[in-house]
Amino acid sequence: MQNVETLTKYGENPKPSRLFLKAMSPNYPGQFPAARLRRTRRTRNLRSLVAETDLSAADFIYPVFVLDGRNREEPVPSMPGVVRQSIDRLLHTLGTAVELGVPGVALFPVVDADAKTPDGRNCADPEGLVQRTVRAIREKWPDLVIITDVALDPYTTHGQDGIIDEQGYVLNDETVAMLVRQALSHAEAGADMVAPSDMMDGRIGVIRSALEEAGHVHTLILSYAAKYASSFYGPFRDAVGSAANLAGADKSTYQMSPGMSDEALREVALDVAEGADIVMVKPALPYLDIVRRIRDSANVPVFAYQVSGEYAMLKAASAEGWIDERRCVLEALMSIKRAGASAILTYFALDAARWLSE
Ligand code: PBG
């Protein structure tokens, strides 16, 4: 028992406790030294054989910002490395995604100010930016899973996800009626998944019925079931140009409060009952406990969205040289998978896919 002596000799309590001695005893089953957990960690190959979680390009969905026009590209200052692109450029970028084995893309439109209205009605225009983008991607990259955002914020003059009354309160049922038109136009254009991110009550059921009625029986609904009123969306709102329109207003009357957890399960249960195929948790890293709770209690796939603020933090700290970008990004993504996400929306999709293939 020389080990014990060395270990305790200089400690505050020179006398090892009985429990400690027992744990150190070779006769104590399942304990040191019979159980040396470091055996499986000794080499890279051993670690890979016992890995509980794996991360690959096939887990990623790439969120992109699309602009009108041709051959246009604008950087998003609060999201270094992320650009807004016109459709032609986007198709090129998505070629890289396909090449790297990234299975899906999530589309977010940057709508010109003069196309915005208080009720966001341009969201359902069959010739709208998103609808045209969906058709273009469908034609060029037929296997890529196309996910569209169902919410009014890119289309409203006030930047809210729905239609508001005189007090600025977002009206639920009026908004749902508009979201249904938006979702149908996306399905019509060829989207594989419509993703309501608006947090109105009852919208999944109404969208599901409308899709069925219109014959879109294969269109999936990816419901942002547990979407929190998060300040980590800041850079995204810069990217789609809704931050200025919001003018300091927030979304706490419809998005979930950050302290809520049981309520997330209730949101999920309702959305699944109404016909959601997949549920989303958003943001990801600050809400891993929610990902895990949903994964353990609901029998639907769970996706998680590593949002713009999570991206910006990792980018900023890496740019300062304070953290190693590649390692920290892959660790964050691995953690989101470990928590129970089957896929991750991440602005790092292409970089991470590349790093994982090296
Ligand atoms: C809006 C929407 C938001 C995001 C995706 N869809 C912002 C918001 O709710 O204000 C955020 C994504 C991100 O921050 O990366 N319907």
Side-chain angles (χ1 to χ4, degrees):
M1 298 299 283
Q2 207 191 333
N3 276 353
V4 177
E5 271 166 37
T6 345
L7 277 170
T8 54
K9 204 165 173 178
Y10 304 108
E12 296 208 326
N13 179 1
K15 219 174 154 236
S17 75
R18 259 184 46 222
L19 251 179
F20 184 67
L21 277 174
K22 198 174 166 201
M24 297 295 275
S25 149
N27 302 324
Y28 189 65
Q31 296 291 338
F32 181 85
R36 287 182 189 266
L37 270 64
R38 292 182 55 191
R39 287 192 197 105
T40 52
R41 297 177 194 145
R42 193 171 51 84
T43 70
R44 197 189 161 96
N45 276 341
L46 284 168
R47 291 194 295 274
S48 96
L49 287 173
V50 298
E52 296 178 36
T53 309
D54 71 352
L55 185 69
S56 78
D59 299 320
F60 304 144
I61 292 161
Y62 190 37
V64 296
F65 300 108
V66 60
L67 279 175
D68 247 317
R70 275 199 67 77
N71 199 22
R72 280 178 76 199
E73 188 165 297
E74 298 175 1
V76 180
S78 50
M79 301 177 74
V82 170
V83 292
R84 311 179 184 101
Q85 293 172 292
S86 50
I87 297 176
D88 51 331
R89 290 235 187 178
L90 178 64
L91 291 177
H92 184 75
T93 305
L94 294 181
T96 310
V98 169
E99 216 168 88
L100 287 165
V102 172
V105 59
L107 296 181
F108 296 98
V110 184
V111 177
D112 290 337
D114 58 11
K116 300 191 187 200
T117 60
D119 67 0
R121 74 174 69 107
N122 286 326
C123 69
D125 180 357
E127 289 307 315
L129 178 56
V130 167
Q131 291 81 355
R132 279 181 282 125
T133 309
V134 169
R135 289 197 293 265
I137 300 173
R138 178 54 70 241
E139 196 180 310
K140 177 94 178 165
W141 307 113
D143 295 332
L144 200 58
V145 175
I146 306 174
I147 304 171
T148 54
D149 197 60
V150 175
L152 304 185
D153 53 313
Y155 303 94
T156 54
T157 40
H158 43 75
Q160 293 289 358
D161 289 20
I163 297 166
I164 57 174
D165 67 13
E166 300 80 52
Q167 280 76 48
Y169 184 76
V170 175
L171 299 163
N172 196 85
D173 303 6
E174 290 79 350
T175 299
V176 170
M178 187 65 86
L179 297 174
V180 170
R181 294 176 47 200
Q182 183 181 25
L184 277 174
S185 76
H186 293 173
E188 211 69 58
D192 297 284
M193 267 186 217
V194 292
S197 71
D198 55 285
M199 290 299 280
M200 296 303 112
D201 287 318
R203 87 278 204 219
I204 301 299
V206 186
I207 292 173
R208 174 57 77 208
S209 308
L211 288 173
E212 287 289 317
E213 223 163 277
H216 298 297
V217 298
H218 299 303
T219 310
L220 291 108
I221 300 180
L222 163 61
S223 160
Y224 285 74
K227 176 171 179 178
Y228 286 84
S230 172
S231 297
F232 287 100
Y233 308 148
F236 173 96
R237 293 177 189 170
D238 294 338
V240 297
S242 66
N245 297 3
L246 270 177
D250 68 13
K251 303 190 178 182
S252 344
T253 69
Y254 46 105
Q255 299 178 347
M256 287 177 60
S257 304
M260 304 301 266
S261 177
D262 293 346
E263 192 186 64
L265 303 187
R266 194 156 174 225
E267 284 282 3
V268 167
L270 285 168
D271 286 1
V272 171
E274 289 176 32
D277 301 284
I278 303 170
V279 296
M280 178 100 85
V281 175
K282 178 184 176 188
L285 209 59
Y287 295 87
L288 292 188
D289 57 320
I290 308 298
V291 175
R292 173 44 67 186
R293 281 195 79 187
I294 295 174
R295 179 58 176 252
D296 284 345
S297 62
N299 292 317
V300 284
V302 183
F303 287 5
Y305 197 146
Q306 183 188 50
V307 300
S308 56
E310 297 176 68
Y311 176 85
M313 288 195 298
L314 286 160
K315 276 292 187 186
S318 314
E320 291 287 348
W322 295 334
I323 61 172
D324 180 311
E325 178 176 9
R326 176 177 167 150
R327 287 166 183 264
C328 286
V329 168
L330 292 178
E331 182 177 336
L333 294 170
M334 178 68 87
S335 299
I336 297 166
K337 279 245 24 220
R338 185 199 63 233
S342 37
I344 306 166
L345 280 86
T346 171
Y347 302 99
F348 288 112
L350 303 192
D351 287 337
R354 212 171 279 121
W355 295 331
L356 289 167
S357 73
E358 283 165 15

